[in-house]
Amino acid sequence: MKAGDFSKLIKLRLTFLVTFSASISFLIGSKVNGVIEWKNWMMLIIGGFLVTSAANGFNEIIEKDLDKLMKRTADRPIPAGRMTTGQALVLSLFMGIFGTYLLGSLNPTAGFLSVFSILLYAFAYTPLKRKSPIAVFVGAIPGALPPLIGYVAAHPKIDEIALVLFAVQFVWQFPHFWAIAWVLDDDYKLAGFRLLPSGNRDMVSAVFAFVSTIIMLPVSLLPTYYGYGGIYVGIVSLLLSLVFLYQGFMLIRNRNIKSAKSLMYGSFLYLPVVQLMFLFDFIGKV
């Protein structure tokens, strides 16, 4: 097995983004405690990376026949025949068990949430993608759990800060998912995936994406509103949310792939910048 095949199995870029959000939340939770345990931070990163990789591996095992139908996924190791289902299953089980063990050793709640995340992503969200656009709402739950897992791995309980971190990532996923679904709709339909709200690139789907960017604006200001973040995270969140809002409006106006790509790329920038600003501003206030 080549390194490139392993990278595709675990969806490396997605896994990195997920692990990043968990690591930021861990540092925020650590500052609430008053001390950062760097050894535990490394355990969180490794555990989070393994758990996310496992969920993606199970996803690709379940969708191996569908991946053959789509241009963007046909070259993944299982549908391309470079990795057997058994090999992928062994790897995914090992990563899931070891990753959960690491997270659970930091906090049992973190371990429980990691198992729940794998099960919900692989065995609820994955099959729902072919049945109903409600899959996006279901998928947004495990997609928003990493910051919650990261926080409770450092802090003994789920408090208001943890819920704010969860809320920001939860709402962010809707414009993110729907922009991607718009761009890849032709490919998704080859596999029977139904991820756009109306099932098509039309005004209804564009309105849903735009409304989600409207909701994103007040949610992104929650850290400042509750006093966990200062003026800097508030200003950055407001500016990025306004850009996000404009990108969502342009999708309504143009209803084309170019506008959807703009919203998609905006989402890639939005989340890490807002989370980093929350961390730096939070550290400055504590």
Side-chain angles (χ1 to χ4, degrees):
M1 180 182 65
K2 297 180 180 179
D5 288 335
F6 179 72
S7 173
K8 290 178 180 178
L9 176 71
I10 66 172
K11 303 178 185 176
L12 183 60
R13 285 181 293 181
L14 172 61
T15 299
F16 176 80
L17 180 63
V18 168
T19 307
F20 174 84
S21 67
S23 68
I24 294 297
S25 297
F26 179 90
L27 294 176
I28 292 173
S30 296
K31 289 303 293 184
V32 175
N33 294 338
V35 61
I36 298 176
E37 297 286 350
W38 293 107
K39 177 186 175 183
N40 291 350
W41 185 62
M42 288 303 302
M43 288 175 61
L44 179 277
I45 290 175
I46 295 171
F49 184 90
L50 290 173
V51 164
T52 307
S53 297
N56 289 330
F58 290 131
N59 169 264
E60 290 196 26
I61 292 169
I62 294 169
E63 293 184 346
K64 63 183 188 302
D65 294 327
L66 301 176
D67 282 346
K68 293 179 181 178
L69 305 176
M70 297 184 288
K71 296 176 182 177
R72 73 180 189 88
T73 57
D75 192 48
R76 285 176 175 171
I78 302 177
R82 297 189 301 273
M83 182 184 296
T84 66
T85 303
Q87 289 172 328
L89 181 60
V90 170
L91 277 172
S92 299
L93 283 172
F94 171 77
M95 292 187 294
I97 292 170
F98 188 51
T100 300
Y101 168 76
L102 288 175
L103 294 174
S105 66
L106 295 174
N107 186 320
T109 302
F112 169 79
L113 289 175
S114 68
V115 173
F116 178 67
S117 177
I118 292 174
L119 294 176
L120 197 59
Y121 180 80
F123 303 107
Y125 165 69
T126 295
L128 270 176
K129 287 160 67 177
R130 300 190 75 206
K131 298 182 181 298
S132 169
I134 198 71
V136 173
F137 291 87
V138 174
I141 299 172
L145 284 177
L148 198 59
I149 292 171
Y151 187 86
V152 298
H155 192 65
K157 64 178 182 178
I158 298 175
D159 57 16
E160 201 171 63
I161 302 176
L163 295 177
V164 167
L165 289 164
F166 175 86
V168 170
Q169 188 146 325
F170 179 78
V171 176
W172 165 84
Q173 287 180 93
F174 293 100
H176 173 71
F177 270 130
W178 284 328
I180 293 174
W182 190 293
V183 173
L184 299 176
D185 187 52
D186 293 333
D187 217 19
Y188 279 161
K189 282 181 175 175
L190 294 175
F193 290 158
R194 302 173 59 193
L195 295 178
L196 285 173
S198 71
N200 296 291
R201 294 180 177 128
D202 57 18
M203 179 61 79
V204 173
S205 293
V207 168
F208 267 84
F210 176 61
V211 169
S212 67
T213 63
I214 295 176
I215 298 172
M216 190 75 252
L217 197 157
V219 171
S220 70
L221 295 176
L222 288 177
T224 302
Y225 176 80
Y226 285 110
Y228 301 126
I231 188 67
Y232 297 113
V233 67
I235 291 173
V236 170
S237 296
L238 177 61
L239 291 176
L240 287 177
S241 295
L242 290 174
V243 171
F244 221 18
L245 198 64
Y246 172 77
Q247 291 170 329
F249 172 75
M250 292 305 292
L251 182 59
I252 282 185
R253 181 179 177 182
N254 300 322
R255 296 191 298 282
N256 58 22
I257 292 178
K258 180 180 178 181
S259 297
K261 280 186 177 180
S262 176
L263 181 60
M264 180 181 71
Y265 292 136
S267 71
F268 289 141
L269 176 68
Y270 184 96
L271 189 65
V273 171
V274 168
Q275 288 178 333
L276 279 172
M277 283 304 303
F278 186 9
L279 172 64
F280 296 148
D281 222 3
F282 186 79
I283 287 175
K285 287 178 67 64
V286 174

